[in-house]
Structures are given as structure tokens and as C-alpha cells.
Amino acid sequence: MQPKVYVTRRIPESGINLLQQSCDVEIWDSDDVVPRDVFLEAVADKDGVLCLLTDKVDAETLDVAKNAKIFANMAVGFDNIDVDECTKRGVMASNTPGVLTDTTADFAFTLLMAAARRIREGHEFVHAGKWETWGPLLLMGQDIHHATLGLIGLGRIGTEMARRGQGFSMRVIYNDVVRREDLEQELGLEYADFDTVLKESDFVSLHVPYMPATHHLISTEQLALMKESAILINTARGAIVDPQALYTALKSGEIWAAGLDVTEPEPIPMDDPLLTLDNCLIAPHIASASFNTRNDMSELAANNILAALSGKRPPTILNPEVLEDS
Ligand code: DGY
């Protein structure tokens, strides 16, 4: 009998095709999040689960998923998975690092440029029929070239963001819990403490994982340190930024603009005050959404499952200690 795999959403076919070669695959055949009760019922008899950042893999899930050997997240972030709980029960967890790095950094830089140069306002201005003449004062924005880019987090995506900044002759400074002198040398980056990055940057871009220590890492006090001309970019996780504090800072002109691919909560409620602001550009969590990258993510998640179900080490396992113990 073939192992049973559950896929919690429609995903690019390449990953499904891989799984179907040797597994009995059940898919929540929808673009909507699988309801919790359906999810719990479906995982009960599965050997592997390909899940998304919208699916909570917690003690309740693991209590039900008695046969599951692996929960393979199709995302690099895995704050939806209680990895410690998985490890305790000998269940593997995996994510999809690497394959989305460049695409996500491209998008973070896209948001940076679009917010700085007021692309959304320009587009709306044209479509509203307001473009009557060339205007010397029309929709002026912030320069990107030779500005200071401050990175909070210098992991894979942060590092690629640094490279993009250098392509625009930016000064790049960063803060991370781990200092990377090798990258400072290689890319000409400057390390600075957290507050200094906030104070000196024209653009602050967040590239840290979401965890208790990064919950509302950017709130009133931190926004107050930033320049009035500064732009905040968040492609990491919404809850790293305190949304009320951000609204106040944007509304009062304490900072100049924000470009967000992630919000707290997601999706952003239609009555969220951030949606009333012209200086807040918001995308629906699509930083990794290129055709190639989403294919690669679905294949990597599938390969993690196939490895786990055939007794091999999943290529991007998050808790390898599970294998050592077995
Ligand atoms: C991730 O991978 O964590 C993104 O948020 C979705 O690509």
C-alpha cells in the first residue's frame, strides 16, 4: 500500500506530480484555507502532510495525526509549526529555505522602490484622470541611490537585500543576533546596534523570523528613533511590527512611508486604519510568488515528504535530532 499524504491547498502541480509517483495523495482542492475541523480529520490517517503557513501544526494536530512522520511546510517561515512539540513526538518538520531567497529579496526591494517613488499614488492619480500637466511639485519621493539601507536580520534574504542595495550605491548597515564579519568584508556592510540601524537608515527592512522575541519588535519607541523621511519595509511576518504604532507613526509623519507584504492579522481587515493611508503600500503576502519559485517551493516540500517516507533525511529538515534519536 502506498503511503498517504495530505496537501492542505491547491499548490503548483510540480510538487503534486512528485508526490503522486509514489504516494496516495489527498488535496484540499481549494484556494481557501482548509477549515480546522476538515484539516484535523484529514491528517488523522496520513503518513505525511504538506502544509502552509496558514495551517497550525500544534499539540492538538499532533494528537490527531498519529501516523504522521513529517509536516512539510511550503514556506521558509515556520512559526505556524510547533517544532519542539513535533520533536518531542518524533515527528519531522521541514521548511523551504534557499529556493525563495532571491525572489523574496527582489520583492522587498520592489516594495522599497515603490514606496519611495510613490508608484501606487502615481497609478491612482493617472487612473483618476487627475494628470493634467507635468508638475514640478508632483508626487515627489525619496531617493534610493546613495541612501542608507538598514537591515534588521542578515540571514539569506537579508544578505540578498544587501546585494540589491549595493547595486543602487547604497550604504548598507545591519543588525543581527549573529555578527557576520565575513559578509561585512565580502559585501562592504557595516554592523551597528539595533537602535543605530533605526536612527541612521533611510530604509529599514525587516528580515528576522517571527518568534516571541521578535513580536512587535518595531513599536512606538523604535518608530520614534527612525528619521521622519524613513521608510519601513516588512516582508518577514506581520506581527514583527505593532500595527497600531505603525499607523500612528505614519499618520503623524513620524516616519515617511511603509511597504508591507505581511500584516497582523492576515488578511488585513478592510476596516484596518492602515488601509486609509496613502503612505502605506500593502501587498497580500506575495513576496515569494513568482512562477519559478512557487514551483521550486512545492517541489522542495514534496521532496522533504518523499525522503521522510522512504527513511531518508529530508533535505531541509528543521529538527534533525528526530533522526538521531530513531
Ligand atoms: C515564507 O516562505 O515564509 C513566506 O512568507 C511565503 O513564501
Side-chain angles (χ1 to χ4, degrees):
M1 216 173 56
Q2 292 191 321
K4 293 185 177 170
V5 170
Y6 188 57
V7 178
T8 65
R9 196 85 67 88
R10 284 184 195 137
I11 62 167
E13 258 178 32
S14 54
I16 300 289
N17 292 343
L18 279 175
L19 288 170
Q20 280 174 336
Q21 285 169 24
S22 55
C23 303
D24 177 3
V25 183
E26 181 184 331
I27 304 171
W28 172 248
D29 192 13
S30 165
D31 295 323
D32 296 328
V33 179
V34 57
R36 182 74 180 166
D37 56 330
V38 176
F39 172 71
L40 290 178
E41 202 184 318
V43 299
D45 65 340
K46 299 300 183 295
D47 302 290
V49 180
L50 193 156
C51 55
L52 306 181
L53 52 87
T54 43
D55 307 311
K56 263 226 151 334
V57 179
D58 53 7
E60 184 190 30
T61 311
L62 294 161
D63 281 345
V64 173
K66 296 252 181 280
N67 297 343
K69 293 192 178 46
I70 182 164
F71 281 82
N73 222 29
M74 194 184 122
V76 66
F78 52 89
D79 47 288
N80 58 308
I81 300 183
D82 187 337
V83 178
D84 289 341
E85 199 60 48
C86 289
T87 307
K88 248 192 257 166
R89 296 160 190 249
V91 175
M92 289 174 253
S94 62
N95 64 341
T96 58
V99 293
L100 49 70
T101 302
D102 279 303
T103 300
T104 304
D106 281 353
F107 195 82
F109 212 82
T110 301
L111 273 182
L112 179 157
M113 296 183 77
R117 299 307 305 274
R118 306 177 69 174
I119 295 296
R120 172 193 145 202
E121 287 164 89
H123 177 86
E124 286 172 0
F125 185 84
V126 171
H127 281 255
K130 293 184 184 164
W131 186 19
E132 284 173 5
T133 180
W134 182 85
L137 302 177
L138 181 62
L139 289 175
M140 291 186 289
Q142 306 291 347
D143 272 332
I144 297 153
H145 64 89
H146 298 97
T148 297
L149 171 61
L151 302 170
I152 304 296
L154 193 71
R156 294 182 192 83
I157 299 169
T159 303
E160 284 311 316
M161 191 66 175
R163 286 188 214 280
R164 281 151 183 76
Q166 278 163 341
F168 281 74
S169 309
M170 297 174 99
R171 170 188 175 220
V172 185
I173 60 179
Y174 80 97
N175 180 263
D176 200 328
V177 285
V178 182
R179 187 163 171 182
R180 293 293 306 272
E181 289 181 38
D182 53 334
L183 290 173
E184 288 170 34
Q185 294 261 317
E186 185 192 328
L187 301 172
L189 313 180
E190 294 168 44
Y191 175 83
D193 62 56
F194 183 66
D195 287 0
T196 303
V197 172
L198 297 176
K199 281 183 204 156
E200 293 192 5
S201 299
D202 299 301
F203 299 90
V204 173
S205 190
L206 305 176
H207 300 286
V208 287
Y210 179 65
M211 54 176 90
T214 59
H215 179 76
H216 291 187
L217 181 70
I218 302 294
S219 190
T220 308
E221 209 185 302
Q222 293 70 36
L223 291 159
L225 294 176
M226 291 171 64
K227 297 181 184 179
E228 279 182 14
S229 56
I231 298 177
L232 179 70
I233 303 299
N234 189 8
T235 52
R237 283 292 181 269
I240 295 169
V241 177
D242 174 347
Q244 269 95 39
L246 179 62
Y247 171 76
T248 306
L250 288 167
K251 178 85 181 162
S252 64
E254 206 164 12
I255 70 167
W256 197 74
L260 312 175
D261 183 47
V262 287
T263 59
E264 184 196 25
E266 284 183 16
I268 191 166
M270 286 314 289
D271 61 355
D272 191 300
L274 285 171
L275 294 177
T276 64
L277 300 175
D278 282 340
N279 57 349
C280 190
L281 178 63
I282 306 181
H285 204 150
I286 54 170
S288 66
S290 72
F291 293 107
N292 288 338
T293 291
R294 286 288 164 87
N295 278 337
D296 291 348
M297 289 166 71
S298 77
E299 286 173 30
L300 180 51
N303 280 324
N304 276 313
I305 292 181
L306 294 174
L309 298 185
S310 57
K312 297 191 191 112
R313 182 190 169 105
T316 52
I317 186 169
L318 289 162
N319 53 354
E321 55 275 31
V322 166
L323 298 174
E324 283 144 30
D325 292 349
S326 62

